[in-house]
Structure formats: structure tokens, C-alpha cells
Amino acid sequence: MRLIQLRDEAGNIRVGVVDADGGQVRVLDGPSGTYALALAAIAAGCSLAEQAAATPGEARLDYATLLQAGRVLVPLHHPDPAHCLVTGTGLTHLGSAAARDAMHQKLQQADEATLTDSMRMFQWGVEGGMPDPGEPGAQPEWFYKGDGAILAAPGEALESPDFALDGGEEPELVGLYLIGPDGTPHRLGFAIGNEFSDHVTERQNYLYLAHSKLRACAVGPELRAGPLPADLRGSSRLRRDGAVVWEKPFLTGEANMCHSLENLEYHHFKYAAHRRPGDVHLHFFGTATLSFADGVRAQPGDVFEIELPELGAPLRNPLRTVAAGFAPGGVRAL
């Protein structure tokens, strides 16, 4: 099932079920957003898709018109942005099963002393990131991006602070979660994400990774509930003045990763602070495709477009530079 969050004509947040052909959206009558719908599903002991299917709603709207009008929101949010944790994992993707085998052989032949810290962590993932179900595997790289205030809706600008050295896309799969009343994480589904980072800052030194990730990001338009195909294939594009200036296919899903989703979820939610009842988590699962890696630098006004057909409509966001709003000496002593 494909779900979106939208604003109705009165400005209220509603949940919509996207038709199989992507043409229309059935607007649900009851819940005031995916968060409320998910809480109802947990209370009823059913899946999110089952709860949506059982919720009345006869109004139907044209999906393309909603997107064009900017009425489609991120597919999941918390009413209090401070209770939404946006995080991610890196060094998780190989591109394909064939690439995984080739990389495994290359790492086995490498001299341990010559491996960088990043390659060493990548090697741990190749060797131990796919454990048996119910067993912990290798621990991945993990990073924090921000709370719910950094999320950009489909069509909304990705704001890059004026102190940033770069702002580039990262096309990724995103897991959407709600922590139940008893502290159990519930995966509601998956969405397309643009993890958007400062790659120039990160390239200066890998210890600057934490700084480079503290940026806006985009998620949506849709939440795909239910099983996810293991092999996902999409395209990432950069448009400038309407023309495509860079385009590249990308692969994701477990068939193209060196970590299982279960392993990545375990290493995120094993921390008690990440299992606070009522909190929302949006977790990026990593990528292997960047325009920056091909020497392309995005400019203000460029539009990032990420397409992953199995997850519905493409995610499009323009780039905009904004004032950071803070300067040295800005801290006041009391």
C-alpha cells in the first residue's frame, strides 16, 4: 500500500491512499496524519495497511495536482519535531551482488595495515553485515542528521546554510518508524530519501563526517507499507534551468547491500534512548551514487530528482542557500 500525507483545502493534515496506477488519492476521514493512523494500528494490533484499508473515506483527489500545488508533505512526522530523530548509516552499499563478490575478494587480498579506517569498517560490513536472522552482525557507521525540523517536503527547497562548502544529493532508502507505548519499534514502511550532505567538508577529513551531515534532508512523497523488494533500481538526476546536467542509476535494497536491514535496525534501536515511546525515527540506509563523486557541484536553483519506481512518485527538491543566522561571538553569558 502507498500512503501520503497531504493538506486539505482547509489546511488540515490528512492521510491519503494512492491508487495502484498513481493517478488518484483516496483521502481518509479519520486520522490527522500518519502518526495518528499508526498509533491506531498499534492499538488495534493490525498493520498500517490494514488500518488504512479499514478507515472510511470516499473523497478522491488528483495526485499530480496535489504534488504540483505543494500540498503533499513528508509521509511521516511527529507533532513535536523534537520527538522525531533523523539518522543514517553509511558504508552499506556495494551496488550489486557481483560487485559484492568482487569487493570481498579485493578486501581479502588487501594488507590490513594499508586499509583506511573507512575501508576497514566497510570490510567488517562485507564480512559480517548479513548475519543469520535474530543474530547481531557487524556494527555499521552511524550518524545523526537532526530532528524533525530539518525535513523538507516533496517540492520544498533543501536549504543549505551559507557557511556550507557544498550541498549535494544522496539518493537513499529511508525506514520510517514509530516507537510503541511499550518501547517496541514499529516499522511503518519505507520511502525515498535525499540525505543531502556537505561532501566538501567531509572530504577534508573523515572526522568531519558529523559536521557534514547536519543539514536538511527530504523524504517522500510516499510511504510504502508492506514487504520491500530486495533489488531496488532507481535514477538520480540534477536539473539546471529545466535541463538534466547529471543523471545516474542507483541500486539499493538488501540484494545490493553488505548489511541486512535487520542488522542496521538492530544497531540503531539497541540503544534505550532510541526506544522512547511515542517517538518517530526516520533512518537513511546509505547510498553508492553521488553527483559529487563525478565532479558535479550543485548550484542554488538546481533541482534534485530521485526516482525509485517501487516506492511511487519521484522526490524533487530545489537547492537554496540561506543565512545561518549565527556568527562568532553570538553566545551570551548570563
Side-chain angles (χ1 to χ4, degrees):
M1 180 176 283
R2 299 159 60 185
L3 302 175
I4 64 169
Q5 288 196 127
L6 65 122
R7 289 198 182 275
D8 63 19
E9 293 183 353
N12 301 310
I13 298 177
R14 309 284 292 277
V15 178
V17 179
V18 182
D19 286 350
D21 63 3
Q24 289 193 318
V25 173
R26 180 176 75 91
V27 183
L28 305 187
D29 289 340
S32 57
T34 310
Y35 184 80
L37 183 70
L39 286 176
I42 293 172
C46 66
S47 71
L48 186 67
E50 289 170 337
Q51 186 67 28
T55 302
E58 299 300 325
R60 305 187 76 85
L61 299 174
D62 182 74
Y63 190 16
T65 300
L66 290 172
L67 287 167
Q68 184 68 27
R71 290 170 56 185
V72 178
L73 310 175
V74 293
L76 174 66
H77 77 289
H78 193 287
D80 178 359
H83 284 276
C84 175
L85 188 67
V86 185
T87 55
T89 50
L91 306 174
T92 56
H93 280 64
L94 288 162
S96 68
R100 180 188 303 117
D101 292 341
M103 180 61 71
H104 186 69
Q105 293 177 12
K106 181 178 179 181
L107 289 171
Q108 284 183 325
Q109 296 168 1
D111 181 355
E112 175 70 17
T114 66
L115 289 176
T116 64
D117 287 340
S118 293
M119 284 301 294
R120 188 172 291 111
M121 181 169 286
F122 189 73
Q123 181 181 34
W124 295 340
V126 171
E127 294 177 348
M130 293 278 188
D132 292 334
E135 296 293 327
Q139 187 167 249
E141 176 190 67
W142 183 95
F143 56 84
Y144 171 73
K145 283 197 68 69
D147 64 16
I150 69 168
L151 294 170
E156 191 175 5
L158 281 166
E159 296 185 340
S160 182
D162 54 13
F163 61 75
L165 303 180
D166 173 56
E169 88 296 330
E170 293 199 15
E172 301 192 24
L173 184 68
V174 184
L176 286 67
Y177 305 88
L178 172 61
I179 310 302
D182 64 351
T184 299
H186 294 263
R187 186 198 312 117
L188 308 187
F190 299 92
I192 301 172
N194 183 344
E195 198 254 296
F196 189 70
S197 300
D198 184 341
H199 301 105
V200 172
T201 292
E202 180 185 353
R203 180 166 286 187
Q204 288 179 332
N205 189 298
Y206 77 95
L207 294 177
Y208 279 159
L209 173 73
H211 283 283
S212 74
K213 296 298 186 181
L214 293 172
R215 299 292 187 270
C217 61
V219 178
E222 303 176 24
L223 181 160
R224 175 182 168 134
L228 187 71
D231 184 14
L232 295 168
R233 297 167 182 259
S235 297
S236 183
R237 304 179 189 91
L238 185 66
R239 295 184 182 272
R240 183 170 299 157
D241 298 324
V244 175
V245 296
W246 176 85
E247 180 175 14
K248 200 165 189 176
F250 72 95
L251 305 175
T252 189
E254 285 189 334
N256 305 301
M257 298 169 65
C258 57
H259 285 268
S260 65
L261 295 178
E262 179 181 294
N263 190 51
L264 297 178
E265 291 174 334
Y266 165 71
H267 285 294
H268 177 72
F269 289 112
K270 67 184 181 183
Y271 299 104
H274 294 176
R275 301 193 306 275
R276 185 168 55 187
D279 280 5
V280 163
H281 290 249
L282 277 66
H283 191 73
F284 287 81
F285 286 115
T287 189
T289 303
L290 311 170
S291 61
F292 178 80
D294 291 339
V296 177
R297 295 288 295 273
Q299 302 174 6
D302 289 354
V303 176
F304 303 111
E305 181 177 281
I306 300 173
E307 187 173 20
L308 198 56
E310 295 283 359
L311 273 72
L315 175 63
R316 300 184 179 96
N317 299 90
L319 172 62
R320 180 169 67 202
T321 300
V322 297
F326 194 75
V331 175
R332 295 181 180 179
L334 291 180

